[in-house]
Structures are given as C-alpha cells and as structure tokens.
Amino acid sequence: MDDKSNSHIENIAKKETFTQEEKQFILDRLNKERLERQKFQEEYAMSQKKYTEEEKHRILQELNEKRIRDEHNKEMKRIRFLDKETYTFGNKTYYKLKDMEREYYLEVETCENFTSRPSIVPLYYRTFGEMKKKEVLLKIVPYSDKIFISRDAIRVYFKPFALQDKHHQG
C-alpha cells in the first residue's frame, strides 16, 4: 500500500462522520478484504487431503451412531413425559412425582429444559393450599425414562423417580 493511501486511512479513522466518497472507500476496502479472506479459505479447503474409502466409511458410521443416539434420546424424552397426569395450581401446570416421601411436583414448563448435566430445579409441594418450593439437583439419563433427583447439592446422590401416569378410565 502506498503512503498516500495510508495517510488517507489515518485521516478517515480520526473522523466520526464520513463523506459519501469516504464511505465508498471504506466499503470497497472491507469488500476487498472479505474477498481475499474468502479466496484464502476456498484455497485452503481445496488443499485439504482427500479421504480414503476407509475414512469415509468410519466417518459415516460415526455420524450414523450419533444419529441413532440422538433419536434414542429424543424417544426417551418423549416417553418420559407421555401420558403423564398433569395438575393445575393457580395458573401453572405440574407433573407429580411418584414414590417420594411427600407429594412433590415439577412445573411442566421446566421439564423441557432437562439435560444430562445436573441443574438446580425447584420441586413444589402443597401446604395449607399454597405451593412451596424446594431446590434440588436434577438430571436425566439418556437410557432411562426416569428423572434423577439429588436432594443435596453438596453430597450428591441421585435417585430415579417416575412421573405419575394418567388414570385411564375404561
């Protein structure tokens, strides 16, 4: 780049408002840099080695295994919440957990966000007609339709719990 162009850039850089000519100069410069970067990336991509048939097969196999795992996780999530009884208290809807020492509820809205990474989630319980909450550590496991809860975030011990099924009347 010549000295005239450099001094022109330095003068533009000090300004807060630009003339139409300066704006066009900036846009042209940015576009030129973008095109050079794009050309470099395309050349780099072309220079990468070609895969052997064995490598292609291994990659496809890994992708297929990941797809199968993802489908399985999706199916377990669907089953975990399929045909479960819901309860409405106030303006919120809850699932009831089975086999706990008292009646605990999970807010339906929060259940969509459960992952295999433990997170702090409120469990709700009713006392004298009002909903109280208790924070617990909760996670899901891909191979199970249960919800794993640890009541203590310090001494973590997860126990599996299911949600109450809908009562079918025949």
Side-chain angles (χ1 to χ4, degrees):
M1 199 179 292
D2 61 354
D3 289 339
K4 183 180 176 193
S5 184
N6 275 340
S7 66
H8 186 59
I9 292 171
E10 289 172 12
N11 289 340
I12 291 175
K14 294 175 185 169
K15 298 174 81 176
E16 288 188 29
T17 58
F18 307 101
T19 66
Q20 196 60 37
E21 180 185 302
E22 290 167 333
K23 287 180 188 175
Q24 191 59 49
F25 176 81
I26 293 167
L27 290 173
D28 291 345
R29 175 89 183 265
L30 290 171
N31 191 42
K32 181 181 173 195
E33 289 174 6
R34 181 188 60 80
L35 289 172
E36 286 173 359
R37 199 168 41 252
Q38 185 178 345
K39 182 180 175 193
F40 173 78
Q41 288 172 337
E42 288 170 358
E43 287 172 358
Y44 178 76
M46 293 298 282
S47 71
Q48 294 301 299
K49 77 175 189 83
K50 304 293 181 220
Y51 291 107
T52 65
E53 285 303 313
E54 188 177 304
E55 289 170 321
K56 287 180 187 176
H57 179 72
R58 182 185 52 77
I59 290 168
L60 286 173
Q61 193 172 353
E62 286 174 10
L63 288 171
N64 194 41
E65 287 170 4
K66 182 187 180 321
R67 180 188 58 77
I68 290 169
R69 271 194 316 275
D70 290 348
E71 283 178 6
H72 177 74
N73 291 350
K74 200 174 186 179
E75 181 63 10
M76 289 311 293
K77 182 177 183 177
R78 189 184 72 77
I79 290 170
R80 194 174 291 122
F81 301 108
L82 180 69
D83 287 333
K84 301 303 178 190
E85 191 70 53
T86 57
Y87 297 84
T88 304
F89 303 112
N91 58 357
K92 294 187 179 181
T93 308
Y94 301 87
Y95 291 119
K96 183 178 178 182
L97 289 156
K98 293 190 331 188
D99 304 324
M100 295 191 87
E101 78 277 359
R102 73 183 314 165
E103 291 185 353
Y104 280 111
Y105 300 88
L106 280 169
E107 196 173 340
V108 170
E109 197 174 296
T110 62
C111 293
E112 286 299 310
N113 306 322
F114 294 163
T115 65
S116 57
R117 174 177 283 140
S119 57
I120 296 174
V121 174
L123 275 188
Y124 294 90
Y125 58 97
R126 293 177 57 190
T127 57
F128 306 110
E130 68 175 333
M131 295 300 278
K132 302 246 184 200
K133 71 178 173 179
K134 169 186 182 173
E135 303 282 314
V136 296
L137 211 52
L138 183 145
K139 71 176 183 175
I140 56 172
V141 187
Y143 57 81
S144 173
D145 63 344
K146 304 271 191 290
I147 296 172
F148 291 75
I149 296 174
S150 174
R151 291 193 182 93
D152 192 337
I154 307 299
R155 290 187 342 221
V156 178
Y157 175 70
F158 285 101
K159 286 179 66 177
F161 294 97
L163 298 174
Q164 183 181 40
D165 295 319
K166 280 189 178 173
H167 300 292
H168 295 287
Q169 290 152 352

